[in-house]
Amino acid sequence: MKRFSGLRILAEGLTGNAGWRPHWRDAAPAEAYDIVIVGGGGHGLATAYHLAETYGEARIAVVEKGWIGGGNVGRNTTVVRANYLLPANQRFYALSLRMWERFEQELNYNAMVSQRGILNLYHSDGQRDAYIRRGNAIRFSGADAEHLDRAALERMWPFFDYDNARFPIRGGLWQPRGGTVRHDAVAWGYARAASARGVDIVQNCEVTGFDIQGGRIAGLRTSRGAIGAGRVGICVAGHSSRVMEMAGMNLPVESHVLQAFVSEGLKPCIPGVIGFGAGHFYISQSDKGGLVFGGDLDGYNSYAQRGNLPMVEHVCAGGMALMPMIGRARLLRMWGGVMDMTMDGSPIIDRTPVEGLFFNGGWCYGGFKATPASGLVFAHLIATGTPHEAAADFRLDRFARGHLIDEAGSGPQPNLH
Amino acid sequence: MMIDHPILGPRDAEEFVYLGDACLMVRPDGMAADAAEAFATYLYARENPAGRHRELWFHEQGDQSWLIVTRCTRTHAIEKVELAQDAARAGVVGQ
């Protein structure tokens, strides 16, 4: 793997840019591997990278149904943050945010990590108290949070509708270290780093079944033939239920559709990432100038990768209540992704009843920011057989035990998380 | 999506609240020996099919009826709509 550097860009520029090569090998599947990761999204690639780099494993493959970067890792709204209330979640996301901060140097890849900050607004006294409590919990975890009152907000975000009759803006919780990361580059960066460490990245290779012998995983059946495997890790996001059904498991998961939207390109006008506190709406501005925003799930089970129009109207109405200035921006494109929504809104990273088969999923709609830490802790689990300390609570049996990690407090109702 | 209500005719899905898989109508026996395990499965485990899905919708902004809608989760096409109480009386609530 040739390193990227300013000097190399200069040298390539002077020699006709003839020296650039594909960033990773498009491998054909071998007969067998020690470890096969199913799913070549951000989490799968990060897992493969950490297995090779951090845990010294060899003979690793990532099998991907489509192409690298074509799944949810290339379909999200690119926000990274660590602003959870519950310790089980916050411990994990604080680790992830620290890993984002060194992501580009570690992988020698420009992912446009932009710590522009994330602001969550409050609109009532009760919400203020809850946010301050959350801010304290965040600071206890080692991440950062600041309480901003209305006067402080008005200096940086003069365009909010502060005196909105229904949702007046009273203040917000500000996390300066949050921000955005270019999502495609995360997939490409991990693919390149994993490939350079000997990981086979096999694209257009759909898993059609598991070879389980005597309660132990022995391999996979795929659209490109059978592949032997000593251990298998599953990172397939919205399709978790479909894949794990092949291993005889019913997960505490429903698949839902979440839509996202991008406006036409505008001059820089929105600093940071902003979350509305009176409805589910959040927005940031990409480096190309488009306003990237999203909101609630459509609310019903779906694998369609597209949503319906009522949610488009609902999300845009939230945006208009918060910042009427965006009303004349035209919507350029919108899309839907399949989310594996768990019964408590928190992820699952655990062993399964099948020996050697490991599961990583249930990321709901918060999987992107988790990518680096998810890769590290899942690699830890596969390599050592024990959970990483930052993910020790994300067990599959927590539902039956009653140890739910229910950030929203809404119970086993996935469309409310 | 339009839901063809058995009594009221075609209604916008926006009038409804979605609950989930119709298997939620089959409540386990709380007095059975395996009740704890049965309730954990009932509360949390889902088939989550990609394709035909029987699911519960509540007509909140209408006649307050519970419907079982048979819908394709790949295309959102609705195949069949029935009153949940009719299905319960006929004993055909599970998947």
Side-chain angles (χ1 to χ4, degrees):
Chain A
M1 178 176 80
K2 273 187 156 177
R3 284 187 65 80
F4 294 124
S5 66
L7 189 65
R8 186 154 169 234
I9 289 173
L10 192 67
E12 289 291 345
L14 293 171
T15 54
N17 283 309
W20 302 114
R21 293 288 172 270
H23 292 188
W24 67 85
R25 287 176 299 116
D26 184 21
E31 246 174 53
Y33 294 92
D34 285 355
I35 302 173
V36 176
I37 304 298
V38 179
H43 291 225
L45 294 165
T47 303
Y49 164 75
H50 281 290
L51 279 167
E53 170 69 17
T54 313
Y55 294 96
E57 297 279 353
R59 300 184 65 228
I60 304 164
V62 175
V63 297
E64 162 59 42
K65 172 174 76 167
W67 67 93
I68 298 304
N72 284 0
V73 71
R75 302 173 74 85
N76 58 76
T77 47
T78 80
V79 176
V80 300
R81 59 187 170 88
N83 55 359
Y84 284 75
L85 175 67
L86 301 178
N89 278 327
Q90 182 57 16
R91 182 164 53 235
F92 174 84
Y93 289 109
L95 169 67
S96 205
L97 191 55
R98 289 197 299 277
M99 292 178 74
W100 282 120
E101 287 172 333
R102 55 175 197 262
F103 175 88
E104 294 177 305
Q105 294 304 317
E106 188 180 323
L107 271 66
N108 179 232
Y109 209 86
N110 178 12
M112 296 161 70
V113 175
S114 164
Q115 292 184 286
R116 58 185 69 183
I118 178 162
L119 175 71
N120 286 97
L121 296 166
Y122 64 78
H123 308 266
S124 68
D125 292 349
Q127 206 174 15
R128 176 199 60 206
D129 294 348
Y131 275 30
I132 289 174
R133 177 183 174 219
R134 175 181 295 244
N136 287 333
I138 293 168
R139 291 170 75 131
F140 272 130
S141 77
D144 60 328
E146 285 172 38
H147 172 233
L148 301 182
D149 61 13
R150 174 170 166 171
L153 293 183
E154 280 177 345
R155 279 195 292 277
M156 196 154 160
W157 295 276
F159 50 82
F160 289 159
D161 185 8
Y162 288 94
D163 294 315
N164 184 298
R166 283 182 74 192
F167 312 119
I169 295 168
R170 300 270 173 78
L173 193 65
W174 171 236
Q175 181 166 64
R177 283 170 58 212
T180 59
V181 179
R182 168 140 196 229
H183 51 9
D184 306 300
V186 173
W188 301 333
Y190 275 125
R192 170 172 171 267
S195 182
R197 284 158 183 79
V199 173
D200 276 0
I201 295 171
V202 184
Q203 301 179 96
N204 300 309
C205 181
E206 181 172 0
V207 172
T208 55
F210 294 107
D211 180 9
I212 298 167
Q213 296 171 1
R216 205 192 146 74
I217 195 88
L220 302 161
R221 293 189 294 279
T222 77
S223 57
R224 296 180 69 174
I227 302 174
R231 283 163 284 170
V232 173
I234 309 295
C235 302
V236 294
H239 291 270
S240 293
S241 293
R242 313 312 315 139
V243 172
M244 295 314 283
E245 188 189 27
M246 293 189 257
M249 289 176 67
N250 261 1
L251 295 174
V253 165
E254 284 180 5
S255 294
H256 282 255
V257 57
L258 178 70
Q259 302 191 65
F261 311 88
V262 177
S263 80
E264 60 191 324
L266 305 170
K267 291 255 173 88
C269 59
I270 296 183
V273 181
I274 296 154
F276 190 30
H280 198 165
F281 172 84
Y282 62 94
I283 188 167
S284 66
Q285 188 169 19
S286 78
D287 292 314
K288 281 195 293 189
L291 305 181
V292 182
F293 59 97
D296 273 323
L297 298 170
D298 273 41
Y300 42 80
N301 288 38
S302 175
Y303 287 88
Q305 287 196 310
R306 64 169 187 277
N308 275 309
L309 290 169
M311 188 47 66
V312 180
E313 186 178 15
H314 179 73
V315 171
C316 292
M320 287 300 290
L322 173 63
M323 46 175 85
M325 74 166 185
I326 65 172
R328 293 178 68 189
R330 283 165 295 190
L331 209 53
L332 192 64
R333 57 200 176 89
M334 54 199 235
W335 65 95
V338 187
M339 311 290 129
D340 44 344
M341 301 299 299
T342 59
M343 293 291 154
D344 63 358
S346 296
I348 298 162
I349 304 174
D350 204 356
R351 292 183 291 256
T352 68
V354 178
E355 193 65 29
L357 180 65
F358 301 86
F359 177 72
N360 175 345
W363 290 98
C364 301
Y365 40 82
F368 177 69
K369 65 180 173 294
T371 306
S374 169
L376 177 70
V377 302
F378 197 38
H380 183 97
L381 178 67
I382 293 170
T384 68
T386 54
H388 189 282
E389 59 180 4
D393 294 314
F394 297 154
R395 304 291 304 275
L396 185 54
D397 67 354
R398 69 173 183 267
F399 299 95
R401 285 187 288 115
H403 288 245
L404 275 67
I405 311 170
D406 190 347
E407 197 80 30
S410 52
Q413 189 60 40
N415 60 351
L416 298 182
H417 286 294
Chain B
M1 286 190 294
M2 298 294 281
I3 294 176
D4 194 3
H5 193 297
I7 299 168
L8 303 173
R11 311 295 306 187
D12 191 333
E14 283 296 285
E15 296 177 3
F16 293 80
V17 172
Y18 178 81
L19 183 69
D21 197 316
C23 71
L24 288 167
M25 288 175 69
V26 190
R27 204 177 161 85
D29 175 7
M31 301 309 285
D34 65 343
E37 196 185 326
F39 266 96
T41 303
Y42 167 76
L43 260 182
Y44 301 119
R46 297 287 187 275
E47 296 248 341
N48 195 19
R52 200 164 177 272
H53 189 223
R54 293 185 79 220
E55 55 202 19
L56 289 165
W57 293 73
F58 177 60
H59 199 191
E60 187 185 40
Q61 293 171 48
D63 67 348
Q64 307 275 299
S65 60
W66 282 95
L67 304 183
I68 297 180
V69 176
T70 307
R71 188 179 60 95
C72 178
T73 59
R74 291 182 192 274
T75 63
H76 300 160
I78 292 172
E79 181 188 313
K80 186 179 173 188
V81 183
E82 54 201 313
L83 286 170
Q85 62 186 25
D86 291 350
R89 281 179 190 135
V92 289
V93 289
Q95 285 285 353

PDB file of all heavy atoms in Angstrom, chain A residues 377-400:
ATOM      1  N   VAL A 377     -14.501  -3.519  19.052  1.00  0.00           N
ATOM      2  CA  VAL A 377     -15.053  -4.424  20.076  1.00  0.00           C
ATOM      3  C   VAL A 377     -15.510  -5.744  19.456  1.00  0.00           C
ATOM      4  O   VAL A 377     -15.420  -6.794  20.105  1.00  0.00           O
ATOM      5  CB  VAL A 377     -16.210  -3.776  20.876  1.00  0.00           C
ATOM      6  CG1 VAL A 377     -15.755  -2.500  21.545  1.00  0.00           C
ATOM      7  CG2 VAL A 377     -17.439  -3.522  20.023  1.00  0.00           C
ATOM      8  N   PHE A 378     -15.964  -5.694  18.209  1.00  0.00           N
ATOM      9  CA  PHE A 378     -16.388  -6.949  17.574  1.00  0.00           C
ATOM     10  C   PHE A 378     -15.168  -7.808  17.236  1.00  0.00           C
ATOM     11  O   PHE A 378     -15.187  -9.028  17.412  1.00  0.00           O
ATOM     12  CB  PHE A 378     -17.220  -6.645  16.317  1.00  0.00           C
ATOM     13  CG  PHE A 378     -18.034  -7.821  15.833  1.00  0.00           C
ATOM     14  CD1 PHE A 378     -18.652  -8.679  16.733  1.00  0.00           C
ATOM     15  CD2 PHE A 378     -18.200  -8.060  14.481  1.00  0.00           C
ATOM     16  CE1 PHE A 378     -19.418  -9.756  16.284  1.00  0.00           C
ATOM     17  CE2 PHE A 378     -18.957  -9.134  14.024  1.00  0.00           C
ATOM     18  CZ  PHE A 378     -19.560  -9.982  14.933  1.00  0.00           C
ATOM     19  N   ALA A 379     -14.095  -7.166  16.800  1.00  0.00           N
ATOM     20  CA  ALA A 379     -12.851  -7.898  16.562  1.00  0.00           C
ATOM     21  C   ALA A 379     -12.356  -8.517  17.870  1.00  0.00           C
ATOM     22  O   ALA A 379     -11.890  -9.658  17.901  1.00  0.00           O
ATOM     23  CB  ALA A 379     -11.796  -6.968  15.969  1.00  0.00           C
ATOM     24  N   HIS A 380     -12.479  -7.765  18.955  1.00  0.00           N
ATOM     25  CA  HIS A 380     -12.071  -8.268  20.274  1.00  0.00           C
ATOM     26  C   HIS A 380     -12.868  -9.522  20.628  1.00  0.00           C
ATOM     27  O   HIS A 380     -12.307 -10.538  21.064  1.00  0.00           O
ATOM     28  CB  HIS A 380     -12.294  -7.182  21.334  1.00  0.00           C
ATOM     29  CG  HIS A 380     -11.849  -7.574  22.710  1.00  0.00           C
ATOM     30  ND1 HIS A 380     -10.632  -7.222  23.229  1.00  0.00           N
ATOM     31  CD2 HIS A 380     -12.464  -8.305  23.668  1.00  0.00           C
ATOM     32  CE1 HIS A 380     -10.501  -7.718  24.448  1.00  0.00           C
ATOM     33  NE2 HIS A 380     -11.608  -8.387  24.744  1.00  0.00           N
ATOM     34  N   LEU A 381     -14.184  -9.462  20.408  1.00  0.00           N
ATOM     35  CA  LEU A 381     -15.053 -10.590  20.738  1.00  0.00           C
ATOM     36  C   LEU A 381     -14.694 -11.820  19.899  1.00  0.00           C
ATOM     37  O   LEU A 381     -14.594 -12.941  20.417  1.00  0.00           O
ATOM     38  CB  LEU A 381     -16.518 -10.197  20.513  1.00  0.00           C
ATOM     39  CG  LEU A 381     -17.560 -11.292  20.760  1.00  0.00           C
ATOM     40  CD1 LEU A 381     -17.614 -11.676  22.228  1.00  0.00           C
ATOM     41  CD2 LEU A 381     -18.946 -10.833  20.301  1.00  0.00           C
ATOM     42  N   ILE A 382     -14.482 -11.609  18.603  1.00  0.00           N
ATOM     43  CA  ILE A 382     -14.180 -12.745  17.719  1.00  0.00           C
ATOM     44  C   ILE A 382     -12.799 -13.315  18.032  1.00  0.00           C
ATOM     45  O   ILE A 382     -12.598 -14.533  18.056  1.00  0.00           O
ATOM     46  CB  ILE A 382     -14.260 -12.294  16.240  1.00  0.00           C
ATOM     47  CG1 ILE A 382     -15.703 -11.929  15.873  1.00  0.00           C
ATOM     48  CG2 ILE A 382     -13.742 -13.384  15.306  1.00  0.00           C
ATOM     49  CD1 ILE A 382     -15.850 -11.259  14.518  1.00  0.00           C
ATOM     50  N   ALA A 383     -11.836 -12.440  18.317  1.00  0.00           N
ATOM     51  CA  ALA A 383     -10.460 -12.898  18.537  1.00  0.00           C
ATOM     52  C   ALA A 383     -10.293 -13.564  19.896  1.00  0.00           C
ATOM     53  O   ALA A 383      -9.594 -14.569  20.026  1.00  0.00           O
ATOM     54  CB  ALA A 383      -9.497 -11.714  18.405  1.00  0.00           C
ATOM     55  N   THR A 384     -10.942 -13.000  20.922  1.00  0.00           N
ATOM     56  CA  THR A 384     -10.691 -13.506  22.277  1.00  0.00           C
ATOM     57  C   THR A 384     -11.833 -14.353  22.837  1.00  0.00           C
ATOM     58  O   THR A 384     -11.656 -15.040  23.842  1.00  0.00           O
ATOM     59  CB  THR A 384     -10.474 -12.331  23.261  1.00  0.00           C
ATOM     60  OG1 THR A 384     -11.722 -11.632  23.407  1.00  0.00           O
ATOM     61  CG2 THR A 384      -9.423 -11.365  22.760  1.00  0.00           C
ATOM     62  N   GLY A 385     -13.014 -14.268  22.231  1.00  0.00           N
ATOM     63  CA  GLY A 385     -14.169 -15.004  22.725  1.00  0.00           C
ATOM     64  C   GLY A 385     -14.848 -14.344  23.906  1.00  0.00           C
ATOM     65  O   GLY A 385     -15.828 -14.859  24.439  1.00  0.00           O
ATOM     66  N   THR A 386     -14.340 -13.190  24.342  1.00  0.00           N
ATOM     67  CA  THR A 386     -14.954 -12.475  25.466  1.00  0.00           C
ATOM     68  C   THR A 386     -15.305 -11.056  25.029  1.00  0.00           C
ATOM     69  O   THR A 386     -14.622 -10.486  24.172  1.00  0.00           O
ATOM     70  CB  THR A 386     -13.999 -12.387  26.677  1.00  0.00           C
ATOM     71  OG1 THR A 386     -12.767 -11.804  26.216  1.00  0.00           O
ATOM     72  CG2 THR A 386     -13.713 -13.748  27.253  1.00  0.00           C
ATOM     73  N   PRO A 387     -16.349 -10.460  25.630  1.00  0.00           N
ATOM     74  CA  PRO A 387     -16.733  -9.111  25.212  1.00  0.00           C
ATOM     75  C   PRO A 387     -15.675  -8.076  25.590  1.00  0.00           C
ATOM     76  O   PRO A 387     -15.011  -8.214  26.619  1.00  0.00           O
ATOM     77  CB  PRO A 387     -18.028  -8.842  25.993  1.00  0.00           C
ATOM     78  CG  PRO A 387     -18.452 -10.138  26.574  1.00  0.00           C
ATOM     79  CD  PRO A 387     -17.236 -11.001  26.666  1.00  0.00           C
ATOM     80  N   HIS A 388     -15.535  -7.069  24.760  1.00  0.00           N
ATOM     81  CA  HIS A 388     -14.701  -5.913  25.080  1.00  0.00           C
ATOM     82  C   HIS A 388     -15.380  -5.140  26.210  1.00  0.00           C
ATOM     83  O   HIS A 388     -16.601  -5.073  26.275  1.00  0.00           O
ATOM     84  CB  HIS A 388     -14.578  -5.041  23.832  1.00  0.00           C
ATOM     85  CG  HIS A 388     -13.574  -3.939  23.947  1.00  0.00           C
ATOM     86  ND1 HIS A 388     -13.835  -2.778  24.640  1.00  0.00           N
ATOM     87  CD2 HIS A 388     -12.326  -3.805  23.452  1.00  0.00           C
ATOM     88  CE1 HIS A 388     -12.778  -1.981  24.562  1.00  0.00           C
ATOM     89  NE2 HIS A 388     -11.845  -2.578  23.851  1.00  0.00           N
ATOM     90  N   GLU A 389     -14.588  -4.545  27.100  1.00  0.00           N
ATOM     91  CA  GLU A 389     -15.180  -3.886  28.273  1.00  0.00           C
ATOM     92  C   GLU A 389     -16.116  -2.743  27.880  1.00  0.00           C
ATOM     93  O   GLU A 389     -17.058  -2.433  28.621  1.00  0.00           O
ATOM     94  CB  GLU A 389     -14.088  -3.376  29.223  1.00  0.00           C
ATOM     95  CG  GLU A 389     -13.156  -2.383  28.567  1.00  0.00           C
ATOM     96  CD  GLU A 389     -12.073  -1.873  29.516  1.00  0.00           C
ATOM     97  OE1 GLU A 389     -12.025  -2.364  30.654  1.00  0.00           O
ATOM     98  OE2 GLU A 389     -11.307  -1.005  29.100  1.00  0.00           O
ATOM     99  N   ALA A 390     -15.877  -2.117  26.721  1.00  0.00           N
ATOM    100  CA  ALA A 390     -16.734  -1.002  26.309  1.00  0.00           C
ATOM    101  C   ALA A 390     -18.078  -1.476  25.759  1.00  0.00           C
ATOM    102  O   ALA A 390     -18.982  -0.671  25.552  1.00  0.00           O
ATOM    103  CB  ALA A 390     -16.022  -0.153  25.255  1.00  0.00           C
ATOM    104  N   ALA A 391     -18.202  -2.777  25.506  1.00  0.00           N
ATOM    105  CA  ALA A 391     -19.442  -3.289  24.906  1.00  0.00           C
ATOM    106  C   ALA A 391     -20.006  -4.459  25.701  1.00  0.00           C
ATOM    107  O   ALA A 391     -20.804  -5.234  25.188  1.00  0.00           O
ATOM    108  CB  ALA A 391     -19.176  -3.710  23.470  1.00  0.00           C
ATOM    109  N   ALA A 392     -19.619  -4.546  26.973  1.00  0.00           N
ATOM    110  CA  ALA A 392     -19.994  -5.717  27.768  1.00  0.00           C
ATOM    111  C   ALA A 392     -21.494  -5.798  28.041  1.00  0.00           C
ATOM    112  O   ALA A 392     -22.007  -6.856  28.387  1.00  0.00           O
ATOM    113  CB  ALA A 392     -19.225  -5.712  29.083  1.00  0.00           C
ATOM    114  N   ASP A 393     -22.197  -4.673  27.894  1.00  0.00           N
ATOM    115  CA  ASP A 393     -23.641  -4.691  28.177  1.00  0.00           C
ATOM    116  C   ASP A 393     -24.501  -4.988  26.949  1.00  0.00           C
ATOM    117  O   ASP A 393     -25.703  -5.164  27.074  1.00  0.00           O
ATOM    118  CB  ASP A 393     -24.072  -3.339  28.752  1.00  0.00           C
ATOM    119  CG  ASP A 393     -23.455  -3.094  30.122  1.00  0.00           C
ATOM    120  OD1 ASP A 393     -23.496  -4.017  30.948  1.00  0.00           O
ATOM    121  OD2 ASP A 393     -22.921  -1.993  30.348  1.00  0.00           O
ATOM    122  N   PHE A 394     -23.879  -5.025  25.768  1.00  0.00           N
ATOM    123  CA  PHE A 394     -24.665  -5.199  24.535  1.00  0.00           C
ATOM    124  C   PHE A 394     -24.953  -6.671  24.266  1.00  0.00           C
ATOM    125  O   PHE A 394     -24.761  -7.159  23.152  1.00  0.00           O
ATOM    126  CB  PHE A 394     -23.940  -4.572  23.342  1.00  0.00           C
ATOM    127  CG  PHE A 394     -23.745  -3.078  23.436  1.00  0.00           C
ATOM    128  CD1 PHE A 394     -22.701  -2.460  22.757  1.00  0.00           C
ATOM    129  CD2 PHE A 394     -24.606  -2.287  24.182  1.00  0.00           C
ATOM    130  CE1 PHE A 394     -22.512  -1.082  22.831  1.00  0.00           C
ATOM    131  CE2 PHE A 394     -24.427  -0.906  24.267  1.00  0.00           C
ATOM    132  CZ  PHE A 394     -23.378  -0.310  23.586  1.00  0.00           C
ATOM    133  N   ARG A 395     -25.389  -7.376  25.309  1.00  0.00           N
ATOM    134  CA  ARG A 395     -25.597  -8.814  25.182  1.00  0.00           C
ATOM    135  C   ARG A 395     -26.957  -9.130  24.582  1.00  0.00           C
ATOM    136  O   ARG A 395     -27.918  -8.397  24.773  1.00  0.00           O
ATOM    137  CB  ARG A 395     -25.486  -9.479  26.561  1.00  0.00           C
ATOM    138  CG  ARG A 395     -24.169  -9.205  27.292  1.00  0.00           C
ATOM    139  CD  ARG A 395     -23.006  -9.884  26.627  1.00  0.00           C
ATOM    140  NE  ARG A 395     -23.207 -11.324  26.493  1.00  0.00           N
ATOM    141  CZ  ARG A 395     -22.921 -12.204  27.443  1.00  0.00           C
ATOM    142  NH1 ARG A 395     -22.429 -11.817  28.597  1.00  0.00           N
ATOM    143  NH2 ARG A 395     -23.111 -13.492  27.221  1.00  0.00           N
ATOM    144  N   LEU A 396     -27.020 -10.260  23.898  1.00  0.00           N
ATOM    145  CA  LEU A 396     -28.261 -10.693  23.266  1.00  0.00           C
ATOM    146  C   LEU A 396     -29.293 -11.137  24.301  1.00  0.00           C
ATOM    147  O   LEU A 396     -30.498 -10.980  24.100  1.00  0.00           O
ATOM    148  CB  LEU A 396     -27.928 -11.834  22.300  1.00  0.00           C
ATOM    149  CG  LEU A 396     -29.038 -12.402  21.427  1.00  0.00           C
ATOM    150  CD1 LEU A 396     -29.716 -11.299  20.623  1.00  0.00           C
ATOM    151  CD2 LEU A 396     -28.463 -13.449  20.491  1.00  0.00           C
ATOM    152  N   ASP A 397     -28.817 -11.660  25.431  1.00  0.00           N
ATOM    153  CA  ASP A 397     -29.772 -12.184  26.418  1.00  0.00           C
ATOM    154  C   ASP A 397     -30.264 -11.114  27.388  1.00  0.00           C
ATOM    155  O   ASP A 397     -30.961 -11.414  28.347  1.00  0.00           O
ATOM    156  CB  ASP A 397     -29.154 -13.357  27.185  1.00  0.00           C
ATOM    157  CG  ASP A 397     -27.994 -12.927  28.074  1.00  0.00           C
ATOM    158  OD1 ASP A 397     -27.591 -11.748  28.016  1.00  0.00           O
ATOM    159  OD2 ASP A 397     -27.471 -13.771  28.828  1.00  0.00           O
ATOM    160  N   ARG A 398     -29.887  -9.851  27.150  1.00  0.00           N
ATOM    161  CA  ARG A 398     -30.295  -8.810  28.098  1.00  0.00           C
ATOM    162  C   ARG A 398     -31.818  -8.606  28.101  1.00  0.00           C
ATOM    163  O   ARG A 398     -32.387  -8.158  29.087  1.00  0.00           O
ATOM    164  CB  ARG A 398     -29.594  -7.482  27.795  1.00  0.00           C
ATOM    165  CG  ARG A 398     -30.024  -6.779  26.514  1.00  0.00           C
ATOM    166  CD  ARG A 398     -29.385  -5.390  26.421  1.00  0.00           C
ATOM    167  NE  ARG A 398     -29.811  -4.648  25.252  1.00  0.00           N
ATOM    168  CZ  ARG A 398     -29.159  -4.635  24.095  1.00  0.00           C
ATOM    169  NH1 ARG A 398     -28.043  -5.323  23.937  1.00  0.00           N
ATOM    170  NH2 ARG A 398     -29.618  -3.929  23.077  1.00  0.00           N
ATOM    171  N   PHE A 399     -32.452  -8.940  26.975  1.00  0.00           N
ATOM    172  CA  PHE A 399     -33.907  -8.745  26.894  1.00  0.00           C
ATOM    173  C   PHE A 399     -34.609  -9.721  27.837  1.00  0.00           C
ATOM    174  O   PHE A 399     -35.451  -9.319  28.632  1.00  0.00           O
ATOM    175  CB  PHE A 399     -34.366  -8.939  25.447  1.00  0.00           C
ATOM    176  CG  PHE A 399     -33.729  -7.940  24.523  1.00  0.00           C
ATOM    177  CD1 PHE A 399     -32.584  -8.249  23.809  1.00  0.00           C
ATOM    178  CD2 PHE A 399     -34.261  -6.670  24.400  1.00  0.00           C
ATOM    179  CE1 PHE A 399     -31.983  -7.321  22.985  1.00  0.00           C
ATOM    180  CE2 PHE A 399     -33.670  -5.730  23.575  1.00  0.00           C
ATOM    181  CZ  PHE A 399     -32.516  -6.062  22.868  1.00  0.00           C
ATOM    182  N   ALA A 400     -34.233 -10.999  27.763  1.00  0.00           N
ATOM    183  CA  ALA A 400     -34.849 -12.003  28.635  1.00  0.00           C
ATOM    184  C   ALA A 400     -34.497 -11.729  30.101  1.00  0.00           C
ATOM    185  O   ALA A 400     -35.306 -11.980  30.993  1.00  0.00           O
ATOM    186  CB  ALA A 400     -34.395 -13.398  28.229  1.00  0.00           C
TER     187      ALA A 400
END
